[in-house]
Amino acid sequence: LLSRRQRQMCIRDRFYHTTDKEYKSIDELVKLYQRATAQDNILILNLPPNREGKMRQKDVDLLIELRKHIRKL
C-alpha cells in the first residue's frame, strides 16, 4: 500500500494574510512542483486571502502561469 506525501508551500513568503508583495517566482514554483511530483508527492499551494476573504488577482495570475508551465512538462 502506497502512501502519498504532501508538500505544502505558500505562493508568497508567509502562510497567513499579509500585505507583503513578495511572491515566489514562476521558476521557483515550477521547481517545487517538479521536486514534489518526482518523489510521487502532492504539492499543495497555499493562497492566503485578502481582508475581504478573496484571492488576490496576482495570486490567480501566478497560478494560471504555473498551470501553463506544468502543461508543457
Side-chain angles (χ1 to χ4, degrees), residues 49-55:
N50 63 19
R51 292 178 188 231
E52 290 80 39
K54 297 180 181 180
M55 289 191 277

Side-chain angles (χ1 to χ4, degrees), residues 12 17-19 23 48-50 54-60:
R12 294 167 172 247
H17 168 75
T18 179
T19 56
Y23 287 87
N50 63 19
K54 297 180 181 180
M55 289 191 277
R56 293 173 184 86
Q57 189 59 47
K58 169 76 175 170
D59 295 355
V60 173

Side-chain angles (χ1 to χ4, degrees), residues 33-41:
Y33 172 81
Q34 288 176 315
R35 210 174 309 142
T37 57
Q39 299 171 357
D40 201 28
N41 293 331

